[in-house]
Amino acid sequence: MSVVSLRGATRYYETKAGIVRALDGVTFDIDRGDFMVVAGPSGSGKTTLVNLIGALDKPTSGVVSIDGRSLADLDGKALADLRRDRIGFVFQAYNLVPVLTAIENVEYVMLLQGVPAAERRSRAAEMLGEVGLGDLLDRRPDALSGGQQQRVAVARALVARPALVLADEPTANLDSAASEALMDLMATLNERHRTTFVFCTHDPALMARARRLMRLRDGRVESDERIAR
């Protein structure tokens, strides 16, 4: 079964200038283990697509399903539970809680899930070790570099064992060395855990690492290519 399935997914917005077709009849599947980049110019529909895939929005028409469940059939609580348990998010701005340490930031999603304290601590420490921060568990974000903060964000996204990780411009605030290291890390985690990654990016270096590259234009899929690496 596909992790994500879209069938004729359309998202229209009403504006003073008229109806904007942000996404226009898109159909495709995202399979478990995909390492996928969604690219396209501003206004192509990338953000709208990611919002639909991330269960942050519902389509105007068509069907978006995650783990075989149509988002249209889920109420607000069920959608929140789906995002918490099945989708990890990595943002351009890191979005770490500044007063929490690295390990506390990673533990937070498991706290919301009701995972017992000892298990939370163990899993968070293990995941921070996987992303190369095993010796920085007690550092707060302001004591970490940008690259280290983004690694904490990746650990937080993965620690709940989601089916899907959505990364919105994850390398935008990093220098080239930190960006390359982060891409290496995410590719390794993708291969090790078979976690599905979907990136929304303008970064050519990240596009070049994709094993699936989808280009959008005017709300439609312009191309969708699987690339052997």
Side-chain angles (χ1 to χ4, degrees):
M1 180 185 295
S2 299
V3 176
V4 178
S5 177
L6 291 86
R7 292 293 178 268
T10 297
R11 187 66 173 96
Y12 293 172
Y13 297 97
E14 292 187 14
T15 70
K16 291 181 180 179
I19 294 177
V20 175
R21 298 185 179 190
L23 210 62
D24 195 5
V26 171
T27 295
F28 65 89
D29 295 324
I30 300 174
D31 297 329
R32 185 183 178 198
D34 271 353
F35 196 71
M36 177 179 180
V37 167
V38 179
S42 296
S44 62
K46 296 191 305 297
T47 299
T48 300
L49 178 61
V50 168
N51 286 344
L52 292 183
I53 293 172
L56 297 169
D57 195 8
K58 291 184 178 182
T60 306
S61 62
V63 177
V64 177
S65 300
I66 297 176
D67 285 347
R69 294 190 292 171
S70 170
L71 300 189
D73 296 334
L74 304 181
D75 61 16
K77 182 182 184 304
L79 286 170
D81 290 347
L82 177 70
R83 289 191 295 269
R84 180 195 65 199
D85 297 335
R86 303 300 290 157
I87 306 171
F89 294 91
V90 179
F91 302 98
Q92 177 179 342
Y94 317 139
N95 285 11
L96 302 179
V97 180
V99 298
L100 299 183
T101 63
I103 194 166
E104 289 168 343
N105 266 284
V106 175
E107 282 187 81
Y108 186 68
V109 66
M110 292 184 290
L111 177 65
L112 298 177
Q113 291 176 322
V115 176
E119 183 181 348
R120 290 200 309 266
R121 193 78 176 179
S122 174
R123 283 169 56 182
E126 181 181 359
M127 185 56 66
L128 283 166
E130 281 206 58
V131 301
L133 298 177
D135 57 345
L136 300 176
L137 306 185
D138 296 320
R139 295 267 186 100
R140 289 192 171 91
D142 62 2
L144 298 170
S145 69
Q148 289 168 337
Q149 289 185 64
Q150 195 62 299
R151 284 170 177 259
V152 174
V154 171
R156 179 184 58 190
L158 284 166
V159 75
R161 300 166 182 163
L164 171 69
V165 173
L166 292 176
D168 185 11
E169 297 287 1
T171 60
N173 291 330
L174 305 179
D175 61 32
S176 58
S179 176
E180 187 71 21
L182 182 67
M183 289 188 287
D184 286 343
L185 168 67
M186 291 186 291
T188 297
L189 293 172
N190 166 259
E191 292 171 1
R192 183 179 299 161
H193 299 289
R194 289 203 68 205
T195 303
T196 304
F197 280 82
V198 178
F199 303 90
C200 178
T201 188
H202 290 92
D203 185 350
L206 185 48
M207 292 181 207
R209 299 288 289 274
R211 290 196 290 274
R212 180 179 179 184
L213 178 59
M214 176 178 288
R215 295 186 184 275
L216 298 182
R217 184 173 295 276
D218 299 328
R220 297 179 179 178
V221 176
E222 184 177 54
S223 63
D224 184 3
E225 180 183 7
R226 292 191 179 273
I227 305 162
R229 298 289 183 200

